[in-house]
Amino acid sequence: MTSLAEALRFRPGAHLLIVACDDLGLSHASNVGVYDALRSGMATTAGLMVPCPWAREAASRYRGEDIGVHLTLNAEYELYRWGPITHAPSLLGGDGGFPRTVEDVWDHADLDEVRRECRAQIERAILWGFDVSHVDAHMGTLQLRPEFFDVYLELATAFGLPLRMVSAAMERYVGFPARAVAADAGAVFTDHFRLVPGVGSRQTFERDLRTLRPGVTEFLLHPAVDSAELRSLATDDWKSRVDDHHMICKEDWVPRLLEEAGATVELK
């Protein structure tokens, strides 16, 4: 069987790294930080949150970078809200936006409304001019329950897009063989995915760059620039977002460790 690295025309056993930026469209600060990371930093791809208030502004900044759709069914902030772009009553929390928690979506969402909403998010990104490169799932909502994963996989294959996949270790938590199901459906996904709980990736990123395994590894960051807007989102994670941006745009240890590991940053 041809490995993903070989399909990308690299030698068998190559160490390839995809540096992904989540939450494009979340805020103006995220838009500036993500595009800076893609254009002048070490980032290679990003995911657009179509329902978020700054998604259209993100589209206006697009210059052909590798951008996928960060399929969104949650709005996790207490005071900063967004909701479905389709008529989807089962996807609304109690205050007019998406539910804050993954469990709330799982308990109340109608799967037909989930399917319609996620399809609309992909189609809107295409309408805005994005050459959509992949799909992934905000907060893992579509990845961690079998019935929601079926929708996720169905849309990826329908649009012919690679998808972000849970790691082999995470499968023990989700309780079903997601990677095997996706492979049987002909979906394309990375060999390894490093999930950092919450926001802020420095320690894990540095450790993992020293111990990359053969194959294609995807690592997730949330870069944003410091601003009053970012700080006003009523959450402490703004500091970690700013640190992610500084780490891959301003510091030279990342390319140095990659060189020492003999790794290639893929899709740059």
Side-chain angles (χ1 to χ4, degrees):
M1 181 180 296
T2 302
S3 69
L4 180 56
E6 291 174 283
L8 293 170
R9 299 184 180 179
F10 288 88
R11 59 177 174 77
H15 296 71
L16 305 178
L17 180 67
I18 294 173
V19 182
C21 299
D22 267 5
D23 296 358
L24 181 65
L26 173 72
S27 63
H28 180 264
S30 293
N31 290 354
V32 174
V34 168
Y35 278 124
D36 187 37
L38 288 168
R39 293 169 183 170
S40 62
M42 294 297 298
T44 57
T45 188
L48 174 72
M49 298 177 73
V50 171
C52 284
W54 284 90
R56 188 65 186 88
E57 200 267 351
S60 74
R61 292 173 176 264
Y62 178 63
R63 299 293 181 270
E65 293 83 4
D66 190 279
I67 305 290
V69 177
H70 194 47
L71 295 168
T72 301
L73 299 174
N74 291 92
E76 64 270 33
Y77 294 111
E78 183 73 24
L79 302 178
Y80 182 45
R81 312 294 296 142
W82 56 86
I85 64 173
T86 61
H87 179 67
S90 74
L91 299 182
L92 291 171
D95 58 0
F98 282 124
R100 291 185 184 86
T101 69
V102 172
E103 290 78 14
D104 196 357
V105 176
W106 290 343
D107 288 345
H108 300 105
D110 177 85
L111 288 176
D112 286 335
E113 291 187 358
V114 169
R115 183 179 293 104
R116 190 161 53 246
E117 171 67 21
C118 291
R119 176 177 287 275
Q121 291 181 21
I122 298 170
E123 290 174 344
R124 182 166 294 185
I126 295 170
L127 178 66
W128 282 345
F130 287 95
D131 182 11
V132 175
S133 63
H134 67 279
V135 291
D136 53 57
H138 184 52
M139 297 173 65
T141 305
L142 287 164
Q143 296 169 297
L144 305 180
R145 276 284 181 94
E147 61 270 33
F148 287 83
F149 180 80
D150 286 345
V151 174
Y152 182 52
L153 179 59
E154 174 189 324
L155 290 171
T157 54
F159 283 91
L161 295 171
L163 73 168
R164 177 176 295 159
M165 182 57 59
V166 297
S167 67
M170 180 63 75
E171 282 191 331
R172 292 194 294 272
Y173 166 74
V174 301
F176 66 98
R179 296 178 68 87
V181 170
D184 288 344
V188 175
F189 51 92
T190 60
D191 301 300
H192 317 294
F193 174 64
R194 290 297 292 133
L195 173 65
V196 179
V199 176
S201 310
R202 180 176 292 270
Q203 291 184 340
T204 306
F205 193 42
E206 183 173 2
R207 183 187 67 234
D208 284 5
L209 288 186
R210 297 180 185 277
T211 58
L212 282 178
R213 289 173 285 176
V216 182
T217 299
E218 181 181 10
F219 200 95
L220 189 58
L221 304 171
H222 297 81
V225 296
D226 192 2
S227 69
E229 176 220 25
L230 185 66
R231 295 182 184 217
S232 72
L233 297 184
T235 175
D236 290 334
D237 75 9
W238 70 266
K239 297 178 183 178
S240 297
R241 293 176 185 272
V242 172
D243 187 59
D244 276 0
H245 174 257
H246 194 276
M247 179 173 64
I248 59 171
C249 291
K250 310 294 184 184
E251 301 176 16
D252 62 3
W253 62 267
V254 176
R256 176 171 47 79
L257 282 185
L258 286 171
E259 183 177 0
E260 291 174 1
T264 300
V265 178
E266 175 53 18
L267 301 179
K268 186 66 176 174

